[in-house]
Amino acid sequence: MFGAPGAGKGTHANILAKKLKLIHISTGDLLRKEVDKNSDLGKQVKEIMDRGELVSDKIVNHMVREIISEEKCGIIFDGFPRTLIQAKKLKMMMAEFGRKIDAVISVDVPIEELLHRIEERARISNRSDDNEATIKYRLNEYRIKTMPLLDYYEKSGLLLRIDARGSIDETSAKIIDTINKNLKTNGMSLP
Ligand code: AMP
């Protein structure tokens, strides 16, 4: 699940995971847990996350590798991959464990709406990276490092783009519908 900060990728990954009985893996949540535990990894990444920068590919790839190697169920990744290096590593890891990527879903929201949503979330989320300076940085990181992946996955024929300007329910229905149509053309159907 792809999307800029505030686009709702976490919300939609969660809904989709429940509907399709997938394991929802948010690399942001995993990293925040490490920060809360004050583990060595948490100490290493806290300042980076607070600044709104991306954590190193090495750290994130290692975390994801552990999950893919242990988890046999279907997985929906939320916020991973975020760089071309991560995307290439994911492809290698999936091949290594005999798995494949079925779809890459991008929830698309225009910038003005994103800023509005992030402001709203900042009021209730209690996240240390939901403040004005950090948000600008995170949007920039997304634009420079993550957006090029859309082109990468478009070329692989995996990208499903969803106009996510509407309500959560509307967007969620669109996602299911788009996945269904896409699977049908591949001769499959949703459970
Ligand atoms: P998120 O909850 O997905 O918005 O992620 C919050 C923060 O966690 C990001 O701003 C990054 O600092 C870090 N993070 C999460 N996923 C990744 C990733 N795939 N690569 C690098 N940093 C990540």
Side-chain angles (χ1 to χ4, degrees):
M1 184 72 70
F2 262 78
K9 62 182 161 50
T11 304
H12 289 295
N14 201 16
I15 295 173
L16 203 56
K18 288 196 181 116
K19 279 203 177 128
L20 305 186
K21 299 192 170 45
L22 302 170
I23 309 286
H24 174 193
I25 301 292
S26 152
T27 41
D29 282 351
L30 291 178
L31 290 164
R32 275 187 289 277
K33 268 189 203 139
E34 294 298 322
V35 171
D36 290 345
K37 277 196 285 187
N38 205 20
S39 66
D40 286 343
L41 175 59
K43 284 181 200 152
Q44 233 178 310
V45 298
K46 183 176 179 350
E47 282 184 16
I48 299 170
M49 291 175 74
D50 281 349
R51 281 199 298 270
E53 282 172 36
L54 292 187
V55 170
S56 81
D57 291 327
K58 200 170 164 209
I59 289 178
V60 179
N61 286 341
H62 180 77
M63 250 171 35
V64 170
R65 190 175 194 284
E66 279 192 358
I67 290 163
I68 300 179
S69 69
E70 285 165 11
E71 194 52 72
K72 301 290 168 257
C73 299
I75 303 173
I76 177 154
F77 284 109
D78 154 12
F80 178 88
R82 259 172 151 112
T83 66
L84 206 51
I85 291 178
Q86 292 178 15
K88 288 185 175 162
K89 188 71 184 179
L90 176 63
K91 192 175 175 192
M92 280 162 58
M93 290 190 285
M94 296 298 260
E96 183 186 348
F97 294 103
R99 308 191 65 162
K100 71 177 178 62
I101 302 174
D102 293 307
V104 175
I105 302 162
S106 172
V107 282
D108 299 334
V109 174
I111 183 77
E112 307 75 36
E113 174 72 18
L114 281 178
L115 292 171
H116 174 69
R117 289 188 189 185
I118 298 172
E119 260 174 41
E120 290 289 300
R121 188 173 73 183
R123 265 196 273 277
I124 50 171
S125 78
N126 214 11
R127 268 176 61 163
S128 54
D129 61 351
D130 269 345
N131 60 70
E132 209 181 325
T134 310
I135 286 161
K136 277 200 186 124
Y137 207 100
R138 281 161 61 206
L139 283 168
N140 218 29
E141 288 278 82
Y142 178 77
R143 201 170 49 79
I144 296 167
K145 296 179 181 163
T146 308
M147 268 178 80
L149 294 191
L150 295 179
D151 198 37
Y152 173 82
Y153 283 121
E154 173 95 73
K155 285 185 180 133
S156 324
L158 289 170
L159 186 65
L160 306 177
R161 296 200 83 145
I162 310 289
D163 177 348
R165 278 175 297 182
S167 69
I168 292 176
D169 285 350
E170 279 163 359
T171 301
S172 162
K174 269 188 210 166
I175 293 175
I176 292 286
D177 191 46
T178 309
I179 294 178
N180 246 327
K181 278 187 193 136
N182 192 62
L183 289 183
K184 267 187 204 134
T185 51
N186 294 326
M188 297 187 270
S189 64
L190 288 181

